[in-house]
C-alpha cells in the first residue's frame, strides 16, 4: 500500500511540475496546451466539415425521395463496427506506400470515415420523420422540390442533424488523441504518446494529456448541446415542451 501510495503521489507531483512549466501555456510552443488544443480542434472541425459536405446533401436528397433506407441502416452498423485505430493504421500504410503525407492524410481520412455514419443516419432520419402534411403544404404553395429540401426539410430536421454532428464530433475528439501515435502533431494526444515514451518519468504528462482530452470533450459536448437548442425551430421546441 505504501509503495502504491508513493507512486500515486509521484504521479500527481509529476503532473503538477508538468502543468507549471512556463511553455505549457504557450500559444506558439508545440509543448503548450493552448497550441495542442487548437491543433486538436483543427483536425476535429476539419474532419466534421468534410464529412458533412460529403454526407448531408446526399442523405437529404435520398430522404426527400424516400430512397436509400437500407443504406441508412447499414451506415449505423458500419459506424459501430469500424475500429478507429485500425482505420488510422490502414490509411497510414496506404499513404506511406503512395508517398503521401503520413502526418496529415491518414488521420484526416480515418476521422472523416468515422464521422460519415452518424451524420448520414441522422440527416436521413431527421427528414424521413417529418410530418408529410407539412411537406405537401409547401408543395401546394408552389415550392419546387429543391426549395422544399432546403427551406422546409433541412431547417425542420436540423436538430436531429446537429445531434448526429454532436455524436460524430465527440468521436473525432477522442480519435484525434489516438491519432498521435502516427501523427507528429496529434493534438492533446501527443502528451499521452510522449509520456509513454518517457516511461515512469512521463506518468504526469500522460495524466495531464488524458485530463485535457476529457475537459475538451466535455466543453464540446456543452457547445453542441447549445447548438442543438438553437437549431430547434421555435414551433418544434414549443411542441416538445408541451409533450414533456
Amino acid at each position: 500500500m505504501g509503495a502504491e501510495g508513493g507512486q500515486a503521489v509521484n504521479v500527481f507531483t509529476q503532473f503538477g511540475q508538468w502543468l507549471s512549466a512556463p511553455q505549457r501555456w504557450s500559444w506558439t510552443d508545440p509543448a503548450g496546451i493552448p497550441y495542442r488544443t487548437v491543433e486538436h480542434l483543427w483536425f476535429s472541425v476539419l474532419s466534421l466539415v468534410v464529412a458533412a459536405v460529403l454526407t448531408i446533401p446526399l442523405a437529404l436528397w435520398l430522404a426527400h425521395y424516400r430512397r436509400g433506407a437500407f443504406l441508412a441502416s447499414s451506415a449505423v452498423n458500419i459506424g459501430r463496427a469500424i475500429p478507429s485505430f485500425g482505420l488510422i493504421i490502414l490509411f497510414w500504410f496506404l499513404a506511406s506506400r503512395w508517398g503521401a503525407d503520413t502526418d496529415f492524410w491518414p488521420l484526416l481520412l480515418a476521422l472523416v470515415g468515422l464521422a460519415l455514419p452518424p451524420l448520414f443516419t441522422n440527416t436521413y432520419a431527421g427528414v424521413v420523420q417529418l410530418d408529410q402534411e407539412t411537406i405537401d403544404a409547401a408543395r401546394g404553395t408552389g415550392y419546387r422540390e429543391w426549395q422544399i429540401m432546403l427551406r422546409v426539410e433541412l431547417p425542420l430536421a436540423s436538430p436531429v442533424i446537429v445531434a448526429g454532428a454532436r455524436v460524430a464530433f465527440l468521436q473525432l475528439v477522442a480519435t484525434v488523441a489516438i491519432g498521435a501515435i502516427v501523427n507528429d502533431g496529434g493534438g492533446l494526444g501527443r502528451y499521452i504518446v510522449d509520456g509513454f515514451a518517457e516511461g515512469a518519468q512521463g506518468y504526469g504528462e500522460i495524466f495531464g494529456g488524458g485530463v485535457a482530452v476529457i475537459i475538451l470533450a466535455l466543453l464540446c459536448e456543452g457547445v453542441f448541446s447549445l447548438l442543438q437548442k438553437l437549431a430547434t425551430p421555435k414551433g418544434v421546441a414549443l411542441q416538445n415542451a408541451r409533450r414533456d
Side-chain angles (χ1 to χ4, degrees):
M1 290 292 292
E4 292 178 0
Q7 186 178 17
V9 172
N10 186 39
V11 169
F12 287 111
T13 301
Q14 290 181 13
F15 171 64
Q17 294 172 348
W18 175 82
L19 198 63
S20 61
Q23 72 269 26
R24 201 65 60 215
W25 302 102
S26 172
W27 288 90
T28 57
D29 192 324
I33 294 176
Y35 182 97
R36 290 296 186 193
T37 301
V38 171
E39 188 176 52
H40 204 111
L41 287 173
W42 160 247
F43 260 110
S44 302
V45 172
L46 177 62
S47 304
L48 185 68
V49 170
V50 172
V53 170
L54 293 175
T55 303
I56 292 178
L58 175 62
L60 180 63
W61 184 85
L62 289 173
H64 176 76
Y65 290 104
R66 297 301 189 270
R67 300 175 182 175
F70 175 76
L71 182 60
S73 62
S74 299
V76 178
N77 297 326
I78 292 173
R80 292 172 179 171
I82 293 177
S84 55
F85 183 67
L87 267 183
I88 294 172
I89 295 300
L90 173 62
F91 286 125
W92 181 88
F93 176 77
L94 293 176
S96 62
R97 291 293 299 272
W98 294 339
D101 184 358
T102 55
D103 281 339
F104 178 77
W105 290 110
L107 184 55
L108 178 67
L109 293 175
L111 293 174
V112 170
L114 290 174
L116 290 176
L119 285 173
F120 182 90
T121 304
N122 278 51
T123 302
Y124 188 91
V127 174
V128 167
Q129 72 183 12
L130 294 178
D131 186 359
Q132 188 59 40
E133 292 182 0
T134 303
I135 309 303
D136 293 337
R139 190 174 285 117
T141 59
Y143 273 35
R144 297 181 179 180
E145 297 304 311
W146 68 268
Q147 290 176 316
I148 293 174
M149 285 188 280
L150 295 180
R151 298 182 183 180
V152 180
E153 292 176 332
L154 184 60
L156 290 178
S158 58
V160 183
I161 297 173
V162 174
R166 177 181 178 179
V167 172
F169 196 76
L170 291 178
Q171 289 180 333
L172 296 178
V173 169
T175 307
V176 170
I178 300 173
I181 296 173
V182 297
N183 185 291
D184 286 340
L188 296 170
R190 189 78 253 163
Y191 297 132
I192 300 174
V193 174
D194 291 346
F196 273 113
E198 295 176 11
Q201 299 301 316
Y203 288 161
E205 186 171 5
I206 295 171
F207 182 80
V211 170
V213 173
I214 292 172
I215 292 175
L216 180 61
L218 292 175
L219 290 175
C220 292
E221 169 73 11
V223 170
F224 270 94
S225 297
L226 177 61
L227 290 177
Q228 192 170 353
K229 291 181 180 178
L230 295 176
T232 304
K234 293 183 179 179
V236 176
L238 181 61
Q239 185 178 8
N240 292 337
R242 289 175 177 173
R243 289 177 181 176
D244 296 339

